[in-house]
Amino acid sequence: MSMYMVLIFSCSEGEYSTNIVIDWIWSKNTPFKRLNGSDFDNSHSYQISMNGEGLILKFEDEDEDSEVNPNEIKSTWYRRWGGIDFIDKAYGLTNDIHLNHQIRSTLYKDFFAIKEAITDSYACDRSLNKESNTSPNKLNQLRIASNLNLNIPSTIVTSSRKHLLQFSEKFDSIITKSIQDFAGLSVNSIPFALYTSTFSIEDIKSMPTEFFPSFFQEKIEKEFEIRSFYLEGKFYSMAIFSQSDQKTTTDFRNYNFDKPNRNIPFKIPAGIEEKLHSLMMALDLNCGSIDLIKASDGRYVFLEVNPIGQFGMVSNPCNYYLEEIVAEYLVAGNNIN
């Protein structure tokens, strides 16, 4: 029977950082188990049972039976847990789209109940994030950040064209983006990402009188952007000179692969780091990727924090070796009795 000491919740695809962290854990001779969302689709055989020690997860379709015992797990990393679109692919049962929606909605709720039970059962003192706080609410983040005296952009959520027009008249320019973290859309298997976008007066005038509640902010003129990886009170930050490229000037994630932005290691002022640390504590996060702007007027402006944001884009250009640091944190759990 297998014995695992580090448990990682991740995805089977698109998780390059998880792969590197696992390479480091492997090099330190620490037994681990990686659970991808796709491991729980209907092509795998597994069972969840209860005993006096808690929830026992057992897979039966591997080379040898593997059992994940919560008493053996010393540390966990909730990186992300995707790969559950098998529900959409496997359970389109009828030609009635409304009935299909109800069936899929019920199956999703059942699957998330399984997911929640597994992640709760294997939670331990030494864990990087948890499932319950990995869906960032940007409104709550901004409210708490403001309460901690961090600079934030002027922000509204409105369903009114009139109110949006009044808001926009206060600034040279405004932007819009999703209220929650949004992975994107897929249309005919073609992925579409949602980036932060400038919203012009013409855009506003083209809106209906009332519309779905949407998120708008003043556009901050920036000297550069900052992506900071936070881990247990330490900051690993990178300055991103995205303002000089028309493609990336509003959102550096709209990458220009032909002419990448210049990225360099950066040290956030201590006073700002202290406030950001307080913010992470208030959000009950011990790991995450924080986005800020160094404004052209010298202010540091907090934008958002993504608990499961990509950090390889910070690790590689700045030679921080963040994947090894994450691995060392997880492996150190083996020394906890």
Side-chain angles (χ1 to χ4, degrees):
M1 180 180 298
S2 301
M3 177 177 177
Y4 306 113
M5 305 187 81
V6 176
L7 183 60
I8 299 172
F9 299 97
S10 188
C11 306
S12 57
E13 298 179 353
E15 259 305 306
Y16 184 63
S17 294
T18 300
N19 299 341
I20 300 176
V21 169
I22 285 176
D23 286 344
W24 281 109
I25 293 174
W26 185 271
S27 74
K28 298 173 190 303
N29 298 315
T30 301
F32 67 92
K33 178 68 176 177
R34 174 176 180 167
L35 292 178
N36 298 316
S38 57
D39 294 336
F40 294 83
D41 65 21
N42 50 6
S43 66
H44 295 83
S45 178
Y46 64 93
Q47 68 172 17
I48 299 169
S49 59
M50 314 288 172
N51 63 15
E53 298 177 339
L55 183 150
I56 305 295
L57 175 62
K58 185 176 182 180
F59 288 88
E60 299 175 337
D61 59 348
E62 299 182 353
D63 293 338
E64 60 180 69
D65 287 355
S66 63
E67 182 176 291
V68 186
N69 189 322
N71 291 326
E72 297 168 353
I73 300 298
K74 302 300 182 185
S75 58
T76 64
W77 181 28
Y78 191 89
R79 173 60 188 140
R80 53 182 65 185
W81 204 5
I84 60 172
D85 56 346
F86 70 92
I87 292 176
D88 287 332
K89 296 176 181 176
Y91 299 104
L93 301 180
T94 76
N95 293 324
D96 186 330
I97 58 173
H98 299 293
L99 179 58
N100 278 345
H101 174 74
Q102 294 176 63
I103 293 172
R104 287 170 176 156
S105 177
T106 300
L107 293 175
Y108 266 106
K109 288 180 180 177
D110 278 355
F111 185 81
F112 277 102
I114 295 171
K115 179 181 175 182
E116 182 181 35
I118 292 172
T119 54
D120 285 354
S121 180
Y122 292 101
C124 52
D125 291 339
R126 195 168 186 82
S127 297
L128 287 181
N129 290 337
K130 47 193 175 184
E131 192 276 338
S132 60
N133 62 6
T134 50
S135 297
N137 184 317
K138 296 174 186 174
L139 295 175
N140 281 338
Q141 292 182 359
L142 290 168
R143 173 180 55 81
I144 297 171
S146 180
N147 290 341
L148 292 168
N149 293 320
L150 282 163
N151 293 311
I152 64 170
S154 293
T155 302
I156 63 163
V157 173
T158 182
S159 61
S160 163
R161 183 176 64 188
K162 175 184 175 183
H163 292 161
L164 178 57
L165 190 58
Q166 292 172 342
F167 176 76
S168 70
E169 289 171 347
K170 300 176 183 176
F171 310 102
D172 293 335
S173 184
I174 64 171
I175 60 94
T176 186
K177 59 184 179 181
S178 61
I179 296 175
Q180 296 191 78
D181 187 38
F182 193 77
L185 298 170
S186 177
V187 180
N188 297 326
S189 301
I190 301 174
F192 292 89
L194 291 182
Y195 298 114
T196 301
S197 302
T198 302
F199 212 71
S200 67
I201 293 295
E202 289 71 26
D203 292 328
I204 298 173
K205 291 180 178 177
S206 70
M207 298 283 284
T209 306
E210 282 84 30
F211 48 86
F212 189 85
S214 302
F215 183 99
F216 300 92
Q217 290 180 317
E218 66 170 314
K219 183 176 182 180
I220 305 291
E221 293 302 322
K222 61 189 177 186
E223 185 177 341
F224 50 82
E225 294 184 66
I226 301 167
R227 166 65 64 94
S228 184
F229 180 71
Y230 173 92
L231 177 63
E232 285 282 322
K234 294 185 177 179
F235 293 84
Y236 305 87
S237 304
M238 178 176 77
I240 306 167
F241 294 89
S242 57
Q243 76 285 356
S244 57
D245 188 324
Q246 190 61 35
K247 185 176 174 64
T248 62
T249 186
T250 302
D251 189 337
F252 75 83
R253 297 171 301 173
N254 190 19
Y255 302 112
N256 184 341
F257 293 104
D258 294 327
K259 186 181 179 184
N261 293 146
R262 178 176 175 241
N263 303 319
I264 62 171
F266 184 75
K267 174 64 177 173
I268 299 174
I272 303 297
E273 286 191 346
E274 289 174 6
K275 293 178 182 178
L276 292 172
H277 174 66
S278 297
L279 173 66
M280 297 298 279
M281 294 297 96
L283 296 172
D284 192 24
L285 296 173
N286 63 355
C287 182
S289 294
I290 302 170
D291 288 333
L292 304 115
I293 285 177
K294 173 71 182 306
S296 55
D297 60 10
R299 294 179 301 149
Y300 288 85
V301 182
F302 168 79
L303 299 180
E304 61 185 77
V305 53
N306 186 350
I308 56 174
Q310 295 293 347
F311 57 88
M313 48 131 358
V314 175
S315 179
N316 294 335
C318 299
N319 292 320
Y320 285 141
Y321 292 92
L322 296 177
E323 296 84 358
E324 182 181 11
I325 293 171
V326 170
E328 288 176 343
Y329 176 90
L330 296 171
V331 170
N334 296 335
N335 299 321
I336 298 175
N337 295 320

